[in-house]
Amino acid sequence: MISAIVRTLFLSLTTSLCAQMAQPNGEPFPKPASIKGLQVQMIDDALALGIHHAGININLTALLDLEKKPANPKRVVDGQEFSFNESYLKSLDGQIKPLSDRGVVVYVILIAYPSKQESRDAVVIHPDARKDYKYSVGGFNSKTPEGRAWLKAVSEEMAARWSGARPEHGRVWGWIVGNEVNSHWLWYNIGRKPMPDAVGEYAQAFRLVHGAVRKASANARLYIPFDHHWAVGMHGISAEEATPGRDFLDAFAKQTSDLDWHVAWHPYPEDLGNPRAWADKTVTSAESTNKVTFKNLEVLCRHLRKPELLFKGEPRRVILSEQGFHLLLTPEGESLQAAAFAYAWEKCRRLPLVDAFIYHRHVDHAQEGGLRLGLWRNAPHSVVTPHSKKKIWELFRVAGTPEWETAAAPLLPVTGLKSWAEIKGEP
């Protein structure tokens, strides 16, 4: 009799514990003190800069362990077993945990870089992506059963690891699904397709990631990322290679109106090589503008308040997950770069839908098309080794602090404005 009672209690307790473990983490999304963020390269320096948001790239292709090494974690999805590269996961822990432990809201940017290994890319990257590898980022394989199973499995593995249930790994709050998905031939390559097909392929991938994240966290946020093209496509690029962000966004919203999602926008200046964000000549505040940059960022925010884009009566939120300002090698170059950041910061202060301004880059990168966007210079003859701070570093440090007004004021004449109040916000 006693044995039967003990067994019943044990089974009841086990069932209860399993039920609790199966529940997603219900903590609310944090409310950081400011929008200041950075795509982090040097953790100590980022913390010294006082960031509240951090962007970290994750290469899904590198996470796939085709050899299924015994020491690597496994997960079975849709009848297939997948194995994950634990050493890479641990290296990501080493970036995420020191930041999240200090209260920084971490956003991971899920990317499928081509490995140029046919067996690996066949699982991770969309099978319609061009085969010559003359593209930067692959689109997720949402077309084949194995590809969908992999995306679901790796998303569940990551979401469980960084949901807060395993604090030894750190915490992720934001999941940016892909990269500039409206550029589906270069920056999210799924092959040449008309827009309805491109949107459908991406929406299917997004649903898989969304479902995986929701199993682990009730309030983590998922984002769809765009470049800065709005009502007009990329110049010289066919409609089957890239589409206007506005049109892609609206089509995606129709297919996913049942899901909670948000927008990750990249409001680079119209000319990435000109840091004068206030001087964009082709953009306007009209709905038909060609691009949405910092100068007219209110266009995106206004659009998201349209009834058909609301979710449960509220507009989708906005993060600026990749943007920076080029350093011209001229006497006024450093002041122009710093003034561009001051202008952009003041713009965001006037847009209540913007939750985060994640600057790109931390350090200049020698292989970024000649752009020098960093807060730091890279060392001569290196790719991304930090060398010395630029003027923008100190301005970035004081952003969001009581020191800001004094530090930014000398940069106002550089922009041609008489007052920051001239900057247009939401009407």
Side-chain angles (χ1 to χ4, degrees):
M1 175 69 74
I2 294 176
S3 177
I5 292 172
V6 170
R7 185 164 57 251
T8 300
L9 288 172
F10 175 78
L11 289 172
S12 175
L13 179 60
T14 302
T15 301
S16 175
L17 286 172
C18 289
Q20 290 178 31
M21 290 174 64
Q23 294 298 314
N25 187 310
E27 293 178 74
F29 193 87
K31 297 180 179 179
S34 88
I35 63 173
K36 182 163 63 177
L38 181 64
Q39 288 190 7
V40 175
Q41 178 177 326
M42 301 176 290
I43 292 171
D44 288 346
D45 188 67
L47 293 173
L49 284 162
I51 65 168
H52 294 278
H53 308 263
I56 295 174
N57 288 346
I58 296 183
N59 181 7
L60 300 191
T61 318
L63 278 173
L64 177 60
D65 168 28
L66 288 170
E67 298 174 5
K68 297 184 179 179
K69 297 175 182 177
N72 282 339
K74 311 289 190 295
R75 187 176 290 266
V76 176
V77 172
D78 299 336
Q80 290 181 276
E81 182 184 67
F82 291 98
S83 181
F84 310 97
N85 183 342
E86 177 69 2
S87 64
Y88 183 34
L89 286 168
K90 285 182 177 178
S91 74
L92 292 166
D93 293 345
Q95 298 174 63
I96 294 167
K97 182 175 169 56
L99 294 165
S100 63
D101 281 358
R102 292 284 295 271
V104 176
V105 179
V106 176
Y107 304 76
V108 290
I109 306 161
L110 306 183
I111 298 180
Y113 291 113
S115 69
K116 301 184 181 180
Q117 298 175 21
E118 186 175 346
S119 57
R120 180 180 298 275
D121 292 344
V123 177
V124 183
I125 294 178
H126 197 286
D128 296 341
R130 55 193 295 185
K131 300 299 185 285
D132 58 8
Y133 290 113
K134 291 182 179 179
Y135 61 92
S136 299
V137 178
F140 302 139
N141 181 2
S142 58
K143 190 167 186 176
T144 70
E146 185 180 26
R148 289 192 295 272
W150 159 253
L151 183 57
K152 182 178 179 181
V154 72
S155 298
E156 288 186 0
E157 188 70 20
M158 293 186 297
R161 189 180 188 100
W162 297 312
S163 68
R166 305 176 189 173
E168 68 274 17
H169 298 303
R171 180 68 181 269
V172 169
W173 277 108
W175 300 81
I176 300 170
V177 184
N179 176 68
E180 297 187 347
V181 295
N182 59 310
S183 178
H184 58 272
W185 181 246
L186 181 61
W187 296 110
Y188 183 79
N189 194 285
I190 56 174
R192 289 189 175 95
K193 297 180 187 296
M195 189 186 72
D197 293 350
V199 173
E201 297 275 8
Y202 175 72
Q204 187 174 28
F206 189 94
R207 280 189 179 276
L208 289 170
V209 179
H210 186 280
V213 171
R214 281 289 164 266
K215 283 181 67 174
S217 176
N219 296 306
R221 291 180 179 173
L222 294 98
Y223 301 86
I224 171 174
F226 294 91
D227 62 22
H228 63 180
H229 293 88
W230 180 248
V232 179
M234 216 179 284
H235 179 69
I237 302 296
S238 78
E240 292 201 341
E241 296 178 0
T243 62
R246 180 194 64 181
D247 299 348
F248 196 108
L249 172 63
D250 289 351
F252 177 80
K254 288 179 180 178
Q255 294 192 28
T256 59
S257 60
D258 59 313
L259 299 182
D260 55 316
W261 50 262
H262 305 278
V263 173
W265 198 261
H266 298 173
Y268 284 105
E270 62 181 8
D271 176 0
L272 273 65
N274 183 354
R276 301 171 182 85
W278 56 87
D280 285 349
K281 293 180 172 59
T282 65
V283 306
T284 71
S285 60
E287 176 71 10
S288 59
T289 186
N290 61 336
K291 297 180 178 71
V292 167
T293 69
F294 278 109
K295 186 175 182 180
N296 65 341
L297 191 53
E298 69 276 3
V299 172
L300 170 63
C301 298
R302 187 173 65 228
H303 190 80
L304 289 172
R305 294 189 185 277
K306 290 187 173 183
E308 62 268 27
L309 272 81
L310 303 181
F311 182 74
K312 295 184 178 179
E314 296 294 329
R316 316 282 182 165
R317 306 298 301 178
V318 176
I319 62 170
L320 311 178
S321 57
E322 182 196 315
Q323 57 284 314
F325 306 106
H326 178 57
L327 174 66
L328 297 171
L329 299 181
T330 61
E332 71 275 15
E334 292 215 37
S335 292
L336 283 170
Q337 186 187 39
F341 177 74
Y343 174 87
W345 183 266
E346 288 292 336
K347 181 74 173 192
C348 292
R349 292 176 71 179
R350 290 156 174 79
L351 299 171
L353 285 188
V354 175
D355 292 328
F357 178 168
I358 301 173
Y359 191 82
H360 172 88
R361 300 187 56 104
H362 201 158
V363 181
D364 286 346
H365 195 292
Q367 298 172 358
E368 200 163 34
L371 293 174
R372 293 176 290 276
L373 308 175
L375 305 177
W376 285 69
R377 297 174 186 82
N378 62 320
H381 312 298
S382 77
V383 176
V384 72
T385 302
H387 178 265
S388 56
K389 299 172 183 175
K390 303 178 189 176
K391 184 173 184 175
I392 191 177
W393 188 95
E394 178 60 19
L395 185 68
F396 186 94
R397 185 190 70 79
V398 302
T401 76
E403 302 171 70
W404 170 257
E405 302 293 344
T406 300
L411 296 165
L412 186 61
V414 179
T415 69
L417 299 173
K418 295 180 180 179
S419 165
W420 297 123
E422 294 178 44
I423 295 176
K424 184 182 294 186
E426 283 194 68

